[in-house]
């Protein structure tokens, strides 16, 4: 199991797949490389795909403490330096999109171009309250209730028709590869504190934002705000997929992102 030791002694799990130009896939709040399982095989046919589990998640070190998006971005920067990757394309989903924005601002030479999937750029009443209420559910009801409740936000209503039993099992399986309550609560705090809105104008890398029309976590208006703040950025709205488009509609997600990534 490949592990990289960060400067503070914590370890990050990582994977590399395929051959070609480097493409970094950055997962969202769940923080695990497996989020990309439905699109990574196709991407690895054309790119050297780099994946990792965030600190505190999956197979990386689980050490409680304070978390921030800046810290997550620095962890990834350290990993890429270790791998000898000086410049890469980035595909970041939700929290991963916040990380990609941060790297585009703080390490502009590292980011060649980026796809921002279902993300946001700073505090906004809807997102702040949503994350705050998800944290309240977590603290009051534990991981099982948190995961079962989150399933309603992350996937569109129509997805339940064919996947109801799978989603119903989320609560029962909450302890499998799950992050500890204390760590997840701190990660939610990090998302509430994230703010790069005033610095979007400094981003010069080609940028594509993708979001589904029925995303209830980071609605399309938040992607449109990012695009409005980055000169030359573009936006693609998918008609269906909820917050988890790479999982729910992987083919449509790849159709939207691949032409931009191949450029």
């Amino acid at each position: 199991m490949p592990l990289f030791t960060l400067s503070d002694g914590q370890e990050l799990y990582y994977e590399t797949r395929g051959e070609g130009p480097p493409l970094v896939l950055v997962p969202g709040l769940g923080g695990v490389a497996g989020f990309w399982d439905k699109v990574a095989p196709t991407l690895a046919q054309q790119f050297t795909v780099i994946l990792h589990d965030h600190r505190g998640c999956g197979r990386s070190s689980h050490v409680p403490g304070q978390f921030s998006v800046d810290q997550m971005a620095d962890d990834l920067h350290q990993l890429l330096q270790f791998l000898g990757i000086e410049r890469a394309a980035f595909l970041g989903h939700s929290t991963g999109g916040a990380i990609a924005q941060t790297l585009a601002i703080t390490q502009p030479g590292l980011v060649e171009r980026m796809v921002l999937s279902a993300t946001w750029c700073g505090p906004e009443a809807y997102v702040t309250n949503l994350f705050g209420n998800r944290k309240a559910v977590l603290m009051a009801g534990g991981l099982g209730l948190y995961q079962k409740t989150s399933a309603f936000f992350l996937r569109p209503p129509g997805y339940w028709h064919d996947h109801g039993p799978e989603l119903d099992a989320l609560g029962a399986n909450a302890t499998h590869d799950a992050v500890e309550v204390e760590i997840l609560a701190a990660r939610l705090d990090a998302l509430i504190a994230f703010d790069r809105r005033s610095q979007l104008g400094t981003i010069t890398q080609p940028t594509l934002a993708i979001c589904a029309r029925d995303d209830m976590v980071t609605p399309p208006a938040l992607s449109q705000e990012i695009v409005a703040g980055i000169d030359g950025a573009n936006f693609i709205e998918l008609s269906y997929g909820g917050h988890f488009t790479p999982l729910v509609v992987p083919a449509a997600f790849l159709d939207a992102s691949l032409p931009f990534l191949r450029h």
Side-chain angles (χ1 to χ4, degrees), residues 111-122:
V111 181
E112 189 271 328
R113 61 180 49 234
M114 59 181 178
V115 175
L116 303 177
S117 166
T119 192
W120 78 108
C121 61

Side-chain angles (χ1 to χ4, degrees), residues 11-13 25-33 52-62 67 72 75-76 93 95-96 99 187:
E11 293 182 320
L12 289 187
Y13 171 85
L25 305 186
V26 196
L29 177 61
V32 293
H52 77 297
D53 293 350
H54 296 184
R55 73 161 65 207
C57 303
R59 293 149 290 188
S60 294
S61 296
H62 287 221
F67 288 75
M72 299 173 205
D75 288 350
L76 181 53
H93 178 80
T95 302
I99 292 169
R187 285 173 60 78

Side-chain angles (χ1 to χ4, degrees), residues 155-168:
R155 299 162 180 85
Y159 191 79
W160 286 79
H161 179 75
D162 294 323
H163 301 272
E166 166 197 330
L167 298 177
D168 285 339

